[in-house]
Amino acid sequence: GRIPIWTELMTYVWQRPLAGYGYEAFWTPVHIEELSEQLHWVFREAHSTYVETLLGVGMIGACLLSSTVLTALWLAARRHRQTADPACAFIVGFLVFMLSTGVMESGSVIASFETTMAGSAIAMLAFRRDVLAVPVMSAVGDRRTARSAALLFPREAPAPG
């Protein structure tokens, strides 16, 4: 089972709790051999995104990663509620899937198609102004909301021509 793996790996986490061993640097032949002998099973991953993250980048990196993913989840959910944008619904579903499967698998932090998709979704939320923009007028036409939005998201000047 996974619980004996996690229990044993937490002893390594506590040896370098803040910064970890480096991204994908923990699984050296020495560590694989030690753990395989102790648990009588050969494995090369933590079988948990959360334990794998702690091993790789420590508590500092785990906090940064968690805050990034949770912020992206919040932004996508907020935007989907405001606009019913199916792209945002996809991002919400995908991030919830990653967070839930992360309990039993390490795929969310190992370089893969899944992490590329998650990174692309988070980048879209971070860099696309139309995804972050809040509707500028309420149902009653509140002009203050429109002025605030114009300050936050000014329109680009047309190119001379």
Side-chain angles (χ1 to χ4, degrees):
R2 287 174 165 85
I3 293 175
I5 295 171
W6 300 336
T7 304
E8 191 61 40
L9 288 173
M10 288 309 290
T11 61
Y12 289 93
V13 168
W14 289 115
Q15 291 174 13
R16 295 186 185 185
L18 293 179
Y21 290 83
Y23 181 70
E24 291 193 13
F26 175 78
W27 295 102
T28 63
V30 172
H31 284 143
I32 293 170
E33 189 175 320
E34 284 175 6
L35 291 162
S36 297
E37 285 178 16
Q38 290 170 0
L39 298 172
H40 309 291
W41 181 42
V42 177
F43 58 95
R44 293 177 294 229
E45 64 178 54
H47 290 278
S48 167
T49 292
Y50 306 105
V51 175
E52 195 80 50
T53 300
L54 289 170
L55 285 168
V57 294
M59 290 181 191
I60 295 170
C63 287
L64 291 171
L65 178 64
S66 298
S67 64
T68 301
V69 172
L70 292 174
T71 300
L73 180 61
W74 178 78
L75 285 172
R78 183 178 122 216
R79 182 65 179 165
H80 178 66
R81 280 192 309 273
Q82 292 170 344
T83 65
D85 182 357
C88 290
F90 173 78
I91 293 170
V92 168
F94 189 75
L95 293 177
V96 167
F97 170 78
M98 281 185 58
L99 290 169
S100 60
T101 60
V103 174
M104 301 298 271
E105 289 300 329
S106 298
S108 299
V109 290
I110 296 172
S112 65
F113 177 72
E114 184 180 65
T115 54
T116 302
M117 288 289 295
S120 298
I122 290 169
M124 183 187 86
L125 288 170
F127 298 113
R128 280 191 48 200
R129 184 175 39 166
D130 62 317
V131 171
L132 297 176
V134 178
V136 296
M137 297 290 276
S138 67
V140 273
D142 183 355
R143 301 262 179 225
R144 290 173 297 171
T145 305
R147 279 194 304 268
S148 298
L151 291 173
L152 288 172
F153 303 104
R155 296 189 189 271
E156 290 144 7

